[in-house]
mmCIF file of all heavy atoms in Angstrom:
data_model
loop_
_atom_site.group_PDB
_atom_site.id
_atom_site.type_symbol
_atom_site.label_atom_id
_atom_site.label_comp_id
_atom_site.label_asym_id
_atom_site.label_seq_id
_atom_site.Cartn_x
_atom_site.Cartn_y
_atom_site.Cartn_z
ATOM 1 N N GLN A 107 18.904 64.701 40.543
ATOM 2 C CA GLN A 107 20.148 64.627 41.313
ATOM 3 C C GLN A 107 21.111 63.560 40.793
ATOM 4 O O GLN A 107 22.291 63.580 41.131
ATOM 5 C CB GLN A 107 19.863 64.358 42.799
ATOM 6 C CG GLN A 107 19.179 63.026 43.098
ATOM 7 C CD GLN A 107 17.687 63.168 43.222
ATOM 8 O OE1 GLN A 107 17.079 63.984 42.518
ATOM 9 N NE2 GLN A 107 17.076 62.402 44.126
ATOM 10 N N HIS A 108 20.599 62.631 39.972
ATOM 11 C CA HIS A 108 21.475 61.583 39.439
ATOM 12 C C HIS A 108 21.894 61.838 37.989
ATOM 13 O O HIS A 108 22.777 61.149 37.480
ATOM 14 C CB HIS A 108 20.782 60.224 39.520
ATOM 15 C CG HIS A 108 20.448 59.795 40.909
ATOM 16 N ND1 HIS A 108 21.372 59.802 41.928
ATOM 17 C CD2 HIS A 108 19.279 59.354 41.460
ATOM 18 C CE1 HIS A 108 20.803 59.379 43.049
ATOM 19 N NE2 HIS A 108 19.538 59.119 42.796
ATOM 20 N N ARG A 109 21.269 62.790 37.346
ATOM 21 C CA ARG A 109 21.550 62.994 35.917
ATOM 22 C C ARG A 109 22.968 63.473 35.669
ATOM 23 O O ARG A 109 23.605 63.085 34.677
ATOM 24 C CB ARG A 109 20.549 63.983 35.327
ATOM 25 C CG ARG A 109 19.142 63.417 35.199
ATOM 26 C CD ARG A 109 18.169 64.445 34.692
ATOM 27 N NE ARG A 109 16.796 63.937 34.758
ATOM 28 C CZ ARG A 109 15.725 64.695 34.673
ATOM 29 N NH1 ARG A 109 15.848 66.013 34.525
ATOM 30 N NH2 ARG A 109 14.517 64.160 34.750
ATOM 31 N N ALA A 110 23.483 64.324 36.537
ATOM 32 C CA ALA A 110 24.844 64.849 36.332
ATOM 33 C C ALA A 110 25.863 63.713 36.343
ATOM 34 O O ALA A 110 26.776 63.668 35.503
ATOM 35 C CB ALA A 110 25.175 65.881 37.404
ATOM 36 N N GLY A 111 25.714 62.790 37.293
ATOM 37 C CA GLY A 111 26.641 61.663 37.358
ATOM 38 C C GLY A 111 26.564 60.779 36.135
ATOM 39 O O GLY A 111 27.591 60.308 35.624
ATOM 40 N N LEU A 112 25.350 60.554 35.646
ATOM 41 C CA LEU A 112 25.196 59.724 34.457
ATOM 42 C C LEU A 112 25.747 60.412 33.212
ATOM 43 O O LEU A 112 26.320 59.762 32.332
ATOM 44 C CB LEU A 112 23.724 59.372 34.254
ATOM 45 C CG LEU A 112 23.145 58.363 35.252
ATOM 46 C CD1 LEU A 112 21.652 58.196 35.041
ATOM 47 C CD2 LEU A 112 23.840 57.016 35.117
ATOM 48 N N ASP A 114 28.284 62.448 33.275
ATOM 49 C CA ASP A 114 29.731 62.286 33.383
ATOM 50 C C ASP A 114 30.156 60.910 32.875
ATOM 51 O O ASP A 114 31.186 60.775 32.201
ATOM 52 C CB ASP A 114 30.170 62.450 34.838
ATOM 53 C CG ASP A 114 30.076 63.889 35.314
ATOM 54 O OD1 ASP A 114 30.017 64.792 34.454
ATOM 55 O OD2 ASP A 114 30.070 64.110 36.544
ATOM 56 N N VAL A 245 31.912 50.951 37.569
ATOM 57 C CA VAL A 245 31.753 52.373 37.865
ATOM 58 C C VAL A 245 31.388 52.593 39.335
ATOM 59 O O VAL A 245 31.935 53.478 40.007
ATOM 60 C CB VAL A 245 30.681 53.004 36.948
ATOM 61 C CG1 VAL A 245 30.348 54.427 37.401
ATOM 62 C CG2 VAL A 245 31.158 53.010 35.508
ATOM 63 N N ALA A 249 34.630 54.681 40.169
ATOM 64 C CA ALA A 249 34.472 56.007 39.554
ATOM 65 C C ALA A 249 34.363 57.097 40.617
ATOM 66 O O ALA A 249 34.215 56.813 41.815
ATOM 67 C CB ALA A 249 33.243 56.010 38.656
ATOM 68 N N PRO A 250 34.417 58.372 40.217
ATOM 69 C CA PRO A 250 34.202 59.480 41.160
ATOM 70 C C PRO A 250 32.828 59.381 41.825
ATOM 71 O O PRO A 250 31.919 58.722 41.304
ATOM 72 C CB PRO A 250 34.303 60.724 40.266
ATOM 73 C CG PRO A 250 35.162 60.288 39.123
ATOM 74 C CD PRO A 250 34.807 58.847 38.881
ATOM 75 N N PRO A 251 32.648 60.032 42.992
ATOM 76 C CA PRO A 251 31.428 59.860 43.795
ATOM 77 C C PRO A 251 30.123 60.062 43.038
ATOM 78 O O PRO A 251 29.184 59.271 43.189
ATOM 79 C CB PRO A 251 31.603 60.903 44.906
ATOM 80 C CG PRO A 251 33.089 61.051 45.046
ATOM 81 C CD PRO A 251 33.647 60.882 43.662
ATOM 82 N N ALA A 252 30.035 61.116 42.228
ATOM 83 C CA ALA A 252 28.765 61.382 41.532
ATOM 84 C C ALA A 252 28.412 60.257 40.570
ATOM 85 O O ALA A 252 27.247 59.845 40.471
ATOM 86 C CB ALA A 252 28.848 62.712 40.783
ATOM 87 N N GLU A 253 29.413 59.725 39.881
ATOM 88 C CA GLU A 253 29.170 58.633 38.949
ATOM 89 C C GLU A 253 28.838 57.343 39.691
ATOM 90 O O GLU A 253 27.991 56.565 39.246
ATOM 91 C CB GLU A 253 30.390 58.421 38.049
ATOM 92 C CG GLU A 253 30.641 59.558 37.078
ATOM 93 C CD GLU A 253 31.855 59.308 36.196
ATOM 94 O OE1 GLU A 253 32.064 58.152 35.798
ATOM 95 O OE2 GLU A 253 32.598 60.272 35.927
ATOM 96 N N ARG A 254 29.510 57.105 40.822
ATOM 97 C CA ARG A 254 29.216 55.902 41.608
ATOM 98 C C ARG A 254 27.766 55.898 42.070
ATOM 99 O O ARG A 254 27.069 54.891 41.957
ATOM 100 C CB ARG A 254 30.143 55.836 42.828
ATOM 101 C CG ARG A 254 31.592 55.530 42.505
ATOM 102 C CD ARG A 254 32.294 54.907 43.695
ATOM 103 N NE ARG A 254 32.188 55.723 44.906
ATOM 104 C CZ ARG A 254 33.071 56.658 45.254
ATOM 105 N NH1 ARG A 254 34.114 56.897 44.472
ATOM 106 N NH2 ARG A 254 32.916 57.336 46.374
ATOM 107 N N GLU A 255 27.321 57.017 42.586
ATOM 108 C CA GLU A 255 25.947 57.101 43.078
ATOM 109 C C GLU A 255 24.946 56.913 41.942
ATOM 110 O O GLU A 255 23.932 56.203 42.085
ATOM 111 C CB GLU A 255 25.724 58.448 43.759
ATOM 112 C CG GLU A 255 24.345 58.622 44.369
ATOM 113 C CD GLU A 255 24.062 57.627 45.474
ATOM 114 O OE1 GLU A 255 25.021 57.148 46.104
ATOM 115 O OE2 GLU A 255 22.873 57.311 45.690
ATOM 116 N N ALA A 256 25.218 57.526 40.798
ATOM 117 C CA ALA A 256 24.316 57.395 39.656
ATOM 118 C C ALA A 256 24.277 55.950 39.161
ATOM 119 O O ALA A 256 23.205 55.422 38.823
ATOM 120 C CB ALA A 256 24.765 58.329 38.539
ATOM 121 N N ALA A 257 25.431 55.297 39.122
ATOM 122 C CA ALA A 257 25.486 53.908 38.655
ATOM 123 C C ALA A 257 24.709 52.988 39.584
ATOM 124 O O ALA A 257 24.009 52.061 39.142
ATOM 125 C CB ALA A 257 26.932 53.454 38.542
ATOM 126 N N ARG A 258 24.829 53.232 40.890
ATOM 127 C CA ARG A 258 24.127 52.380 41.855
ATOM 128 C C ARG A 258 22.616 52.494 41.724
ATOM 129 O O ARG A 258 21.886 51.548 41.994
ATOM 130 C CB ARG A 258 24.581 52.726 43.270
ATOM 131 C CG ARG A 258 26.004 52.247 43.564
ATOM 132 C CD ARG A 258 26.561 52.851 44.827
ATOM 133 N NE ARG A 258 27.948 52.430 45.030
ATOM 134 C CZ ARG A 258 28.806 53.030 45.845
ATOM 135 N NH1 ARG A 258 28.418 54.103 46.541
ATOM 136 N NH2 ARG A 258 30.040 52.581 45.967
#
Side-chain angles (χ1 to χ4, degrees):
Q107 63 264 35
H108 298 309
R109 289 177 188 164
L112 288 174
D114 288 342
V245 171
E253 292 180 37
R254 289 204 305 269
E255 183 63 26
R258 288 167 183 163

